[in-house]
Amino acid sequence: MHVRVSPGSVALDEPDDCSSFKVLLSEEAREDLPGLLASASAGKLDHDDVMVSVDWIKGECAGRIGMGWNYRFANMLVYAAGKGWLSQDGTHVRAHVEAL
């Protein structure tokens, strides 16, 4: 799954794929990234990464995921926690940013 950020839009693509996680950022949206994330309640910028809201991910996935997604997503969060990519309170997961 990945978070796609473009001018005026923050969307979750490939929600059923819990094997990779990143933010794809269009060059045109780079300067507006913090505001776009905040307005969508999707997360917040943390240095060069984005801390994406777990609740936002779940909301974006509603009605778009297959059987077993909850299990795969929980495993993704456990893996992220083991790498130090999950916030201490478990509400946000770190994603690196790549150019779209």
Side-chain angles (χ1 to χ4, degrees):
M1 87 180 61
H2 59 266
V3 179
R4 182 178 31 82
V5 182
S6 54
S9 173
V10 179
L12 187 69
D13 292 339
E14 301 177 25
D16 211 36
D17 178 7
C18 295
S19 64
S20 70
F21 188 63
K22 59 189 167 190
V23 171
L24 296 177
L25 176 62
S26 74
E27 186 60 38
E28 299 83 12
R30 186 167 297 281
E31 288 185 31
D32 296 331
L33 179 58
L36 289 167
L37 293 169
S39 68
S41 298
K44 55 193 171 195
L45 195 59
D46 184 37
H47 304 285
D48 293 332
D49 295 331
V50 172
M51 295 301 289
V52 181
S53 166
V54 171
D55 285 342
W56 180 83
I57 294 169
K58 290 177 179 178
E60 290 294 303
C61 288
R64 302 173 56 202
I65 50 176
M67 298 249 331
W69 181 87
N70 287 328
Y71 176 77
R72 292 190 312 276
F73 185 63
N75 282 338
M76 182 183 117
L77 295 179
V78 167
Y79 179 80
K83 296 288 188 178
W85 300 335
L86 193 65
S87 64
Q88 286 188 345
D89 62 4
T91 61
H92 290 78
V93 61
R94 182 174 303 280
H96 69 278
V97 179
E98 294 181 7
L100 177 65

